[in-house]
Amino acid sequence: MNKARLPGVLWIASDIHLGAAVPRTAGAFYDFLAQARTQAQTLILCGDIFDAWIGDDHALRQPPAWLEDALRELRLTAQAIPLWLIHGNRDFLMGAALARALGAQLIPAPIRLDTDAGAILLAHGDEYCTDDVAYQRFRCVVRTPWIQKMFLALPLPLRRAIARWARERSRRAHGTKPMRIMDVNRDAVSRAMASAGCETLIHGHTHRPAVHTVPLGDHEGRRYVLPDWEFDHAAPTRGGWISIDTDGIRMHGWPPAGGSP
Ligand code: LP5
Ligand code: MN
């Protein structure tokens, strides 16, 4: 089990899905980053920060304008507070070169964090969607190191085309899969929490923000689900994060209700 001690004020967000098509979402997220820089002591971005990541070289060589903006904002954040990044199912190809360029840390997940609010298991969440057999098969293939190496050796335009095709396939698959299949599997969650020795799990991925109880033998745990961010194609807009400190674990919407969290 991956583990880290993480005292202090911790903020966690996920599923921002930054890309060329979401300028308003990016703007809202950059406002959030600016607040995190002054109010959090560590920020964790818990996967799917990007709509698709096709290799660090894409970002570091000649990034398009939207990506240049994203890199600048993330770098600014990492200069102010520790910035930890976790892989999601769309940006699992984020690598060491990107982390270095940002001054961020790419951390392995699921990870047990020993925080001021107790032990917390943190994961993107897709690993617990075990009823989605087609997805788990896809995941297994694209997480295979030699397949990733081959993909990263392809010319950028071809990688871009494959990513576009995979996103399109995924969008279509969403339309046909029952909602239940695309949620986490309860047993997978209980098992993961028990084996990590955690009564709290925080994850994103499903875009269904909520707090659930989880049966853990003779007692109950809690599962916090982070929201996705969407300010371009949704009304009302969506976005939010979780804060962890000595007062406990709290979920917040973005923008904050009274103007400040
Ligand atoms: O992301 P979201 O929310 O739409 O849906 C996810 C699952 N889909 C995915 C696919 C990603 O969206 C696409 C990511 C592109 C990344 C860059 C390209 C990288 C290629 C790298 C090769 C090493 O994760 C979706 C789940 C849903 O969450 C809910 O949990 O249901 O799963 C699917 O849609 C999977 C389909 O059922 C089958 C997908 C077939 C796609 C085939 C593409 C193959 C490309 C392989 C290249 C080697
Ligand atoms: Mn996801």
Side-chain angles (χ1 to χ4, degrees):
M1 170 56 49
N2 305 302
K3 283 184 190 168
R5 243 183 63 72
L6 199 49
V9 179
L10 170 59
W11 285 17
I12 307 174
S14 79
D15 296 279
I16 305 102
H17 307 135
L18 294 173
V22 291
R24 289 197 187 91
T25 306
F29 178 62
Y30 301 155
D31 291 344
F32 164 75
L33 289 181
Q35 243 182 65
R37 292 199 278 272
T38 59
Q39 296 183 27
Q41 285 172 308
T42 306
L43 175 66
I44 303 183
L45 300 178
C46 194
D48 285 0
I49 301 146
F50 297 99
D51 190 52
W53 193 257
I54 56 172
D56 293 356
D57 53 344
H58 170 60
L60 305 176
R61 248 189 256 153
Q62 272 192 328
W66 72 265
L67 184 48
E68 212 168 338
D69 290 348
L71 298 174
R72 187 192 54 245
E73 295 295 327
L74 291 168
R75 205 176 289 123
L76 268 175
T77 306
Q79 281 164 2
I81 54 172
L83 174 64
W84 292 14
L85 308 177
I86 285 177
H87 285 145
N89 58 296
R90 301 189 197 175
D91 55 10
F92 54 85
L93 286 175
M94 290 188 302
L98 171 69
R100 227 182 357 259
L102 295 177
Q105 283 190 66
L106 200 50
I107 60 164
I111 185 165
R112 175 187 155 131
L113 300 176
D114 288 300
T115 73
D116 285 348
I120 291 170
L121 180 63
L122 185 68
H124 180 61
D126 58 315
E127 52 274 81
Y128 306 131
C129 296
T130 52
D131 295 326
D132 194 341
V133 177
Y135 170 66
Q136 292 302 332
R137 216 177 289 136
F138 169 78
R139 187 179 198 273
C140 197
V141 171
V142 298
R143 300 292 177 113
T144 305
W146 68 265
I147 292 180
Q148 294 193 350
K149 220 167 155 187
M150 275 178 58
F151 178 81
L152 292 172
L154 297 173
L156 268 173
L158 184 53
R159 277 186 261 163
R160 221 174 274 128
I162 292 173
R164 243 196 322 267
W165 178 67
R167 288 290 305 119
E168 190 44 46
R169 282 275 308 257
S170 185
R171 254 182 234 117
R172 263 187 281 136
H174 260 264
T176 61
K177 289 182 194 174
M179 287 294 273
R180 188 189 54 78
I181 299 272
M182 291 191 287
D183 205 350
V184 295
N185 172 286
R186 288 176 187 205
D187 295 338
V189 161
S190 301
R191 266 197 310 274
M193 290 172 72
S195 94
C198 293
E199 292 181 3
T200 306
L201 167 67
I202 297 178
H203 69 83
H205 180 65
T206 60
H207 311 172
R208 302 180 208 186
V211 186
H212 300 272
T213 54
V214 179
L216 293 172
D218 55 359
H219 60 295
E220 277 182 344
R222 289 192 141 203
R223 174 168 71 92
Y224 292 79
V225 187
L226 289 154
D228 65 325
W229 290 62
E230 179 51 87
F231 285 70
D232 290 86
H233 308 111
T237 59
R238 304 191 296 268
W241 85 106
I242 283 178
S243 65
I244 300 173
D245 54 34
T246 46
D247 289 338
I249 304 173
R250 275 167 299 163
M251 295 188 68
H252 311 262
W254 188 269
S260 135

